[in-house]
Amino acid sequence: MSNTVIKVDNISKYYRLGVVNTGTLKDDLRLRMAKMRGKEADFYKIGEDRSTDSDFMWALNDVSFEVKQGEVLGIVGKNGAGKSTLLKILSRVTAPTSGNIKVKGRIASLLEVGTGFHPELTGRENIFLNGAILGMSKQEIKSKFDEIVDFSGVERYIDTPVKRYSSGMYVRLAFAVAAHLEPEILIVDEVLAVGDAEFQAKCLGKMKDVSGQGRTVLFVSHSMAAVKKLCTRAIVLKKGKITLDSDVISGIEDYLNTGVGVSDEGIIPDNASSYTTGDAKFKSIVVKNKKNERTNTLYYEQGFTVELELELYRDVEKAIIDFSIGNFENRFSYTSTFDINKNPVDLKKGTYTLSIDIDPKLLPGNYNFYLGVHDMSKTGLTLDLVERIKLITVLPITENNSVRYPLEVSLGSIRIDGNWKINKQL
Amino acid sequence: MRDNEHWDLVIKPKSNWLDINFADLWRYRDLILLFVRRDFVAQYKQTILGPVWHIIQPLFTTFLYAVVFGEIANLKTDGSPRPLFYLSGIIMWNFFSGCLLNTANTFIANAGIFGKIYFPRLVIPISTVISTSIRFGIQFFLLIAFLLFYIFVRDIHISITYYVLYVPILIIIMGVMGLGFGIMISSLTTKYRDIALFLGFALQLLMYLTPVIYPASLWGKYQWVMDINPMTPIIESFRHAMLGSGHFDMTGIIYSGIFSIVVFLIGAILFTRTEKTFMDTV
């Protein structure tokens, strides 16, 4: 017998947009009448895209994977990538359109804690009700009751209706019940977003316990720190498909780098521009270290060179080109512009290569690039804009290992040196 | 990988017409009871009279009917004392409409829970029917109390026959019919909300077509209206068994029984078809 506990086989799920938008018998009849007359029904929302002809969208498209006993699988992806749909199917909230999932052992989901809590009932009553909704028997709850109350820390108020609880107490109690459920497979989604720091630490501890006992956890969260800490493997979903299935760190990197991926040679894909007039196109971007080697990993305190290739399809009278570095919260850390302080340059139609020598003193971490070319003769019309491309990682040590960034977490993105003076007071 | 392994659970697209997982329901029996308890406890939190409301409601309705339909409209009651006649009709009707109305919003009212956690969806209507049955039980004792009052205090002759033994069957048929209609409507309302709006007044209309406030014999040449209404034989026979008035209609009961089973099956088919994907449409 293998130790595969979840086997997902070619799961697909589609949502029919037409039906979701209607909802009354009248609308359905109108839709049907309109179809019979061969016309388009007239209750599309204004501004809705009618150019795509399909009536449905695939939330999940032919997804297959297996999870082994004891694995902590992180599921990452942008909004709308299909994470929630996958979890909903796994927790049997909705059925797939095709494919099947086989599961060994009890599966419990914490899609949202506190489900089924009734405000009029006391904490004690809610523990029993919520426990039963989550699939525990009365006997099971009774045996764990004290532990649950202990964990939640609301002992004093256990016989008070939960509507009188503070929201923090409410969440703590709810999570305590969920945490004491002992399923073979636990599905967790966004739970850690709530509660204070102390409580979050408690939750993370509990989840570690669960996985430590050889049970399987599926974990979806936007808290990347938590994913990094907890998961042994991650899958990345993009538009309903699995685009990556690997060890957790690279899974996260991939998730974070969802902007524009470039090839090893630095070629920027044709459709990468987030805005373009079609008059210009950034063709490639390459990062080189001081030894003129192509790289995407830089040492701390190491300057580097960025080489760009830009093609103009028309003459641009007053062009400015900008290059920015941003961190993963999409905040700009650094900008260099060619050349906003002097006079913008006149560029003829053709292909140009540009290079920027910079030493922005980036602190350790991961960074994205932003590129833009603008026509200042037309009040700054943007000709081509590429956002969030290429990833560089700045390591916490210098090249010869002589200096190490002393803190575990980077405080900001850029170091600015100050002149310190120290005098002992007399 | 060999596929003859044992899997505890297989999640598939909806397939069978009627697939009720009874083993699953049984595993969640504690939840059913907790829901019943929740319904009772939550309903009367912060009220002074609490469950006494279960008794007050039919009492007042009986009083009202006795005045309006009895004294003013002067509808006959087949020789039974008016309070007994109306009360017996009211508690039976309340039981039916309670089962129906309280289960009819299963999906809409519980969309929040259903959207997050799996448990057999039938748990909700089943627990609702149990709560409604308990309410009926309380009201049934009220009827018994009335009966005893009339027999011993007022000294009115009421012939209770062995037909009393059929009463549990009548109640079950009534409950199954209410549940069947309820889950049927709950499934349809996930798509067509109009039905929920229509339901309140449809039930009221149906009550006037059912011998709740008058005996079935009242309709004369329109007797067929009474005959096709599956509620008629239940309420008439219930009255006959408890009060001795009206008549006991065995054929009618069989008709109602079959009717209720058909309604329940249609309801259950719709329900199981809806429960798997309704989250996509609400």
Side-chain angles (χ1 to χ4, degrees), chain A residues 249-260:
Chain A
I249 300 303
S250 68
I252 294 163
E253 314 278 65
D254 191 78
Y255 171 71
L256 292 170
N257 190 26
T258 43
V260 176

Side-chain angles (χ1 to χ4, degrees), chain A residues 238 254 257-264 266-272 283 285 368 386-391:
Chain A
K238 240 177 228 172
D254 191 78
N257 190 26
T258 43
V260 176
V262 295
S263 71
D264 288 342
I267 306 296
I268 299 170
D270 281 344
N271 57 358
K283 302 288 244 190
I285 177 167
N368 278 322
V386 192
E387 295 182 297
R388 304 187 69 202
I389 33 171
K390 188 108 184 174
L391 174 93

Side-chain angles (χ1 to χ4, degrees), chain A residues 337-366:
Chain A
T337 308
F338 177 84
D339 196 340
I340 208 163
N341 292 330
K342 299 171 211 155
N343 292 321
V345 285
D346 296 341
L347 295 173
K348 298 272 174 232
K349 182 175 161 181
T351 305
Y352 295 84
T353 52
L354 306 95
S355 70
I356 316 159
D357 271 325
I358 45 175
D359 186 8
K361 298 201 165 92
L362 293 173
L363 295 185
N366 298 316

Side-chain angles (χ1 to χ4, degrees), chain B residues 30-92:
Chain B
D30 284 338
L31 182 59
I32 295 179
L33 296 180
L34 280 163
F35 272 131
V36 171
R37 204 181 122 77
R38 179 196 71 175
D39 287 350
F40 266 82
V41 174
Q43 198 176 359
Y44 295 112
K45 282 260 164 120
Q46 289 196 6
T47 62
I48 296 167
L49 296 174
V52 177
W53 283 108
H54 286 321
I55 290 173
I56 293 172
Q57 189 267 338
L59 268 182
F60 272 84
T61 318
T62 302
F63 174 75
L64 195 74
Y65 285 1
V67 172
V68 176
F69 299 111
E71 292 297 325
I72 300 172
N74 212 10
L75 293 175
K76 61 186 175 118
T77 58
D78 268 356
S80 302
R82 276 181 187 141
L84 282 181
F85 183 86
Y86 293 124
L87 185 61
S88 57
I90 287 164
I91 65 168
M92 272 311 250

Side-chain angles (χ1 to χ4, degrees), chain A residues 208-401:
Chain A
K208 279 232 157 167
D209 283 358
V210 169
S211 56
Q213 287 155 12
R215 284 180 284 156
T216 311
V217 180
L218 303 187
F219 183 62
V220 170
S221 175
H222 290 301
S223 164
M224 282 305 142
V227 175
K228 253 182 184 168
K229 239 180 190 163
L230 289 164
C231 300
T232 53
R233 184 184 140 205
I235 60 176
V236 177
L237 283 174
K238 240 177 228 172
K239 291 178 182 165
K241 287 182 181 246
I242 293 184
T243 53
L244 188 97
D245 182 344
S246 73
D247 70 279
V248 69
I249 300 303
S250 68
I252 294 163
E253 314 278 65
D254 191 78
Y255 171 71
L256 292 170
N257 190 26
T258 43
V260 176
V262 295
S263 71
D264 288 342
E265 292 78 35
I267 306 296
I268 299 170
D270 281 344
N271 57 358
S273 304
S274 50
Y275 177 82
T276 185
T277 56
D279 292 328
K281 165 105 181 69
F282 285 102
K283 302 288 244 190
S284 70
I285 177 167
V286 169
V287 177
K288 285 182 172 169
N289 63 18
K290 288 286 180 233
K291 289 178 203 148
N292 212 25
E293 294 163 342
R294 202 182 281 158
T295 183
N296 50 18
T297 308
L298 296 163
Y299 290 99
Y300 182 48
E301 296 190 331
Q302 185 185 34
F304 56 98
T305 302
V306 178
E307 292 182 0
L308 305 174
E309 195 182 338
L310 170 69
E311 186 167 0
L312 297 179
Y313 301 109
R314 67 166 168 86
D315 297 347
V316 181
E317 214 175 295
K318 291 176 176 172
I320 66 167
I321 296 155
D322 64 44
F323 163 80
S324 308
I325 299 176
N327 66 13
F328 284 124
E329 283 86 47
N330 293 326
R331 297 212 180 92
F332 290 102
S333 319
Y334 173 94
T335 299
S336 179
T337 308
F338 177 84
D339 196 340
I340 208 163
N341 292 330
K342 299 171 211 155
N343 292 321
V345 285
D346 296 341
L347 295 173
K348 298 272 174 232
K349 182 175 161 181
T351 305
Y352 295 84
T353 52
L354 306 95
S355 70
I356 316 159
D357 271 325
I358 45 175
D359 186 8
K361 298 201 165 92
L362 293 173
L363 295 185
N366 298 316
Y367 297 92
N368 278 322
F369 296 148
Y370 298 72
L371 300 174
V373 53
H374 317 272
D375 185 349
M376 293 312 279
S377 65
K378 294 184 175 168
T379 59
L381 171 73
T382 298
L383 302 178
D384 193 33
L385 185 69
V386 192
E387 295 182 297
R388 304 187 69 202
I389 33 171
K390 188 108 184 174
L391 174 93
I392 55 163
T393 303
V394 177
L395 301 173
I397 46 167
T398 51
E399 191 169 3
N400 52 16
N401 215 350

Side-chain angles (χ1 to χ4, degrees), chain A residues 49-310:
Chain A
D49 184 15
R50 301 191 206 177
S51 57
T52 52
D53 208 23
S54 60
D55 275 348
F56 52 84
M57 60 159 281
W58 294 94
L60 284 178
N61 197 347
D62 210 16
V63 168
S64 303
F65 62 94
E66 286 184 15
V67 186
K68 300 229 183 303
Q69 165 100 44
E71 252 180 338
V72 182
L73 178 70
I75 300 172
V76 288
K78 289 206 281 194
N79 288 336
K83 303 183 304 265
S84 303
T85 307
L86 180 61
L87 288 203
K88 275 184 177 170
I89 293 172
L90 274 167
S91 55
R92 287 194 283 168
V93 163
T94 188
T97 306
S98 66
N100 65 65
I101 300 175
K102 290 172 185 155
V103 181
K104 253 180 234 162
R106 186 161 73 168
I107 193 165
S109 72
L110 306 182
L111 284 193
E112 201 173 280
V113 291
T115 308
F117 263 41
H118 195 289
E120 294 285 353
L121 300 182
T122 65
R124 183 188 304 276
E125 287 164 332
N126 268 314
I127 289 178
F128 279 94
L129 182 64
N130 192 230
I133 287 178
L134 294 173
M136 285 193 259
S137 72
K138 215 171 176 175
Q139 216 45 51
E140 237 179 311
I141 304 167
K142 255 185 198 155
S143 67
K144 286 181 197 149
F145 186 82
D146 292 335
E147 235 180 290
I148 293 173
V149 176
D150 238 29
F151 185 82
S152 69
V154 297
E155 208 167 345
R156 267 183 71 194
Y157 313 98
I158 200 65
D159 288 311
T160 308
V162 296
K163 66 177 174 181
R164 310 223 188 285
Y165 280 29
S166 74
S167 50
M169 284 158 63
Y170 187 94
V171 169
R172 283 208 298 277
L173 183 66
F175 189 82
V177 181
H180 286 80
L181 182 86
E182 282 174 0
E184 284 78 16
I185 300 157
L186 183 68
I187 301 179
V188 188
D189 185 10
E190 299 291 322
V191 200
L192 304 178
V194 287
D196 47 36
E198 186 196 351
F199 180 64
Q200 284 190 6
K202 229 172 173 182
C203 296
L204 286 174
K206 187 74 198 177
M207 281 196 48
K208 279 232 157 167
D209 283 358
V210 169
S211 56
Q213 287 155 12
R215 284 180 284 156
T216 311
V217 180
L218 303 187
F219 183 62
V220 170
S221 175
H222 290 301
S223 164
M224 282 305 142
V227 175
K228 253 182 184 168
K229 239 180 190 163
L230 289 164
C231 300
T232 53
R233 184 184 140 205
I235 60 176
V236 177
L237 283 174
K238 240 177 228 172
K239 291 178 182 165
K241 287 182 181 246
I242 293 184
T243 53
L244 188 97
D245 182 344
S246 73
D247 70 279
V248 69
I249 300 303
S250 68
I252 294 163
E253 314 278 65
D254 191 78
Y255 171 71
L256 292 170
N257 190 26
T258 43
V260 176
V262 295
S263 71
D264 288 342
E265 292 78 35
I267 306 296
I268 299 170
D270 281 344
N271 57 358
S273 304
S274 50
Y275 177 82
T276 185
T277 56
D279 292 328
K281 165 105 181 69
F282 285 102
K283 302 288 244 190
S284 70
I285 177 167
V286 169
V287 177
K288 285 182 172 169
N289 63 18
K290 288 286 180 233
K291 289 178 203 148
N292 212 25
E293 294 163 342
R294 202 182 281 158
T295 183
N296 50 18
T297 308
L298 296 163
Y299 290 99
Y300 182 48
E301 296 190 331
Q302 185 185 34
F304 56 98
T305 302
V306 178
E307 292 182 0
L308 305 174
E309 195 182 338
L310 170 69

Side-chain angles (χ1 to χ4, degrees), chain B residues 108-127:
Chain B
I108 304 285
N110 295 287
I113 303 186
F114 286 0
K116 292 186 185 110
I117 282 174
Y118 170 82
F119 52 86
R121 303 316 189 202
L122 269 176
V123 160
I124 297 271
I126 289 173
S127 67

